[in-house]
Amino acid sequence: PVGSWYNVTILVKMDFKELQQVDPRLLNHMRLLHSLVTSALQPMASTVHHLHSAPGNASTTVSRLLLGLPRPLPVADVSTLLGDIAKRVYEVISVQVQDVNECFYEELNACSGRELCANLEGSYWCVCHQEAPATSPRKLNLEWEDCPPVSDYVVLNVTSDSFQVSWRLNSTQNHTFHVRVYRGMELLRSARTQSQALAVAGLEAGVLYRVKTSYQGCGADVSTTLTIKTKYVLEKLDFQS
């Protein structure tokens, strides 16, 4: 049984219109994404649902998936496992993993009518609430503070030595974001910003990077991680003798 849900966004080097010409219903594309994700997560039994594919920027295709796992894992761990796809598959530019708030969807949680649903990273918690009236909404989201998840976390303008990341936070409060760039386990960059975008330059070509963006909320670190591969550089050959 599935107990934890995640949103996965995969950016591939394929023009969406060209993809539709060779695969009008995107069936082969969906099968390929399913195979890449499930194989990267083995031996865990995973469930993958294709939600939507659309044109990206600069002749790319963005595909959004719903991933189900039998047990909760931190978003960073799932991102690390799926980030290997970008390392192995040349056409994959980036893989992003975000937590799904199971409390927003009746189909994804099993809290009873007299329980409050509290979202956790990779899972949820049903809290007994004796005072809740029988006519109260079936699913309630328990929030102690304003700490929504980081959403719409995307990569833009990927070159051989730079890229830009942007995100959105549906919050009424001002937050300072901590952005960290890793190569493997090595921390390369660390920056704090109150804007919802950051450009990263001075990188190496054809290298896989992991970008973690977080902020402090609800007494914890609310974060999301994106795996990005910079473009390869084709060296010019000198044919002059």
Side-chain angles (χ1 to χ4, degrees):
V2 175
S4 302
W5 296 95
Y6 306 84
N7 283 320
V8 179
T9 304
I10 300 180
L11 181 66
V12 298
K13 298 175 185 176
M14 180 66 179
D15 183 81
F16 184 69
K17 290 184 178 179
E18 293 181 5
L19 177 61
Q20 285 184 312
Q21 290 177 357
V22 298
D23 188 11
R25 298 176 60 190
L26 304 183
L27 295 179
N28 292 330
H29 180 67
M30 288 187 286
R31 292 190 189 102
L32 176 60
L33 295 179
H34 183 278
S35 176
L36 290 174
V37 171
T38 54
S39 62
L41 294 171
Q42 287 182 349
M44 282 187 295
S46 57
T47 301
V48 180
H49 301 281
H50 177 261
L51 300 178
H52 182 63
S53 287
N57 66 315
S59 300
T60 59
T61 296
V62 180
S63 294
R64 292 179 172 84
L65 312 174
L66 179 64
L67 169 65
L69 296 178
R71 58 185 177 85
L73 285 178
V75 170
D77 291 356
V78 180
S79 181
T80 298
L81 292 171
L82 295 185
D84 187 58
I85 296 173
K87 185 185 302 183
R88 294 185 291 104
V89 183
Y90 172 77
E91 291 78 9
V92 176
I93 299 173
S94 68
V95 180
Q96 177 209 359
V97 180
Q98 290 181 302
D99 180 44
V100 171
N101 189 339
E102 291 88 352
C103 298
F104 286 162
Y105 308 96
E106 291 190 1
E107 300 85 354
L108 301 184
N109 74 77
C111 297
S112 67
R114 286 190 170 272
E115 291 177 317
L116 298 179
C117 181
N119 185 54
L120 304 173
E121 183 178 353
S123 186
Y124 64 94
W125 179 32
C126 296
V127 183
C128 293
H129 188 62
Q130 300 298 332
E131 293 77 21
T135 57
S136 64
R138 189 182 189 291
K139 307 298 178 187
L140 297 175
N141 187 30
L142 185 62
E143 295 181 344
W144 291 278
E145 293 181 41
D146 181 25
C147 52
V150 178
S151 61
D152 295 340
Y153 193 33
V154 296
V155 57
L156 304 168
N157 306 321
V158 180
T159 70
S160 60
D161 63 356
S162 66
F163 55 75
Q164 181 180 357
V165 290
S166 69
W167 58 91
R168 186 172 61 86
L169 192 71
N170 187 18
S171 174
T172 58
Q173 300 181 14
N174 292 324
H175 293 281
T176 298
F177 300 95
H178 188 191
V179 183
R180 284 158 284 188
V181 181
Y182 297 87
R183 178 176 178 175
M185 299 303 294
E186 179 186 3
L187 177 63
L188 299 180
R189 310 283 172 82
S190 179
R192 297 185 184 275
T193 178
Q194 289 191 327
S195 69
Q196 297 185 10
L198 185 72
V200 183
L203 305 173
E204 294 184 39
V207 172
L208 196 68
Y209 295 94
R210 184 164 52 92
V211 185
K212 180 178 181 180
T213 298
S214 63
Y215 74 94
Q216 287 294 316
C218 298
D221 199 39
V222 181
S223 66
T224 187
T225 304
L226 185 63
T227 303
I228 304 166
K229 182 168 57 182
T230 50
K231 290 185 177 181
Y232 289 93
V233 173
L234 298 178
E235 296 184 357
K236 295 182 180 179
L237 299 178
D238 187 358
F239 292 100
Q240 297 179 352
S241 56

